[in-house]
Amino acid sequence: MAVLQEFYAAEAAYIAAGGMGRASFDGLARCLDPEVVMHQAPGLPYGGTWRGPRGIEDFMAAMSEAWQSLEFLEQRFVVDGDVVVVLNRGRLQARATGRILDTSVMQLITVKDGLITEIHPFYWDTLAVAKALHPR
């Protein structure tokens, strides 16, 4: 649990600071296994599979280009051994449009030896994400 709380706090700070070149990735990197893998929905602007801490840093840079802020309004954690289901309700503000998106994302996260090894996010509404990010 501690590694996930540290990861989410570092993620919000990284995005708020403007991402790569403006923010330190060290807080996030401390939470990641060297072989970490993240699978993002392919329809998102930052979709695809991201591997290793460098891949996660590239993902965070892409996400920071899309969003200027990320606020976690509610988080619930369900733990089953090395697997944690995180129910996130959050508010994001799009960098290009200024639009606010209140949404939910469930993440299936594997943690081994105190480090995150795999992340599978499932977005409640990817169409709402696209609408918030792109001019009408």
Side-chain angles (χ1 to χ4, degrees):
M1 290 298 299
V3 72
L4 294 178
Q5 291 169 336
E6 182 180 346
F7 180 80
Y8 287 119
E11 178 182 34
Y14 185 88
I15 289 170
M20 191 178 282
R22 295 182 188 93
S24 172
F25 187 73
D26 293 346
L28 288 153
R30 278 193 300 274
C31 302
L32 302 173
D33 184 86
E35 303 298 320
V36 64
V37 178
M38 177 187 286
H39 308 276
Q40 285 285 338
L44 295 171
Y46 36 83
T49 300
W50 305 84
R51 298 183 185 281
R54 177 61 190 185
I56 302 299
E57 185 173 13
D58 290 343
F59 158 76
M60 290 302 302
M63 191 163 167
S64 295
E65 287 177 23
W67 304 105
Q68 68 183 19
S69 66
L70 166 60
E71 176 186 3
F72 293 104
L73 303 173
E74 178 183 6
Q75 290 185 302
R76 287 193 240 158
F77 300 85
V78 180
V79 180
D80 182 16
D82 290 343
V83 177
V84 182
V85 175
V86 185
L87 304 170
N88 292 298
R89 189 172 65 83
R91 178 174 295 131
L92 299 102
Q93 183 170 17
R95 194 170 294 283
T97 67
R99 291 190 189 107
I100 303 291
L101 174 65
D102 286 338
T103 193
S104 295
V105 177
M106 186 202 71
Q107 294 177 312
L108 184 62
I109 300 176
T110 305
V111 177
K112 292 184 182 171
D113 299 323
L115 297 173
I116 298 169
T117 61
E118 194 163 15
I119 306 169
H120 288 266
F122 299 91
Y123 290 76
W124 175 252
D125 189 348
T126 55
L127 183 57
V129 171
K131 286 181 179 179
L133 293 174
H134 299 291
R136 287 187 162 79

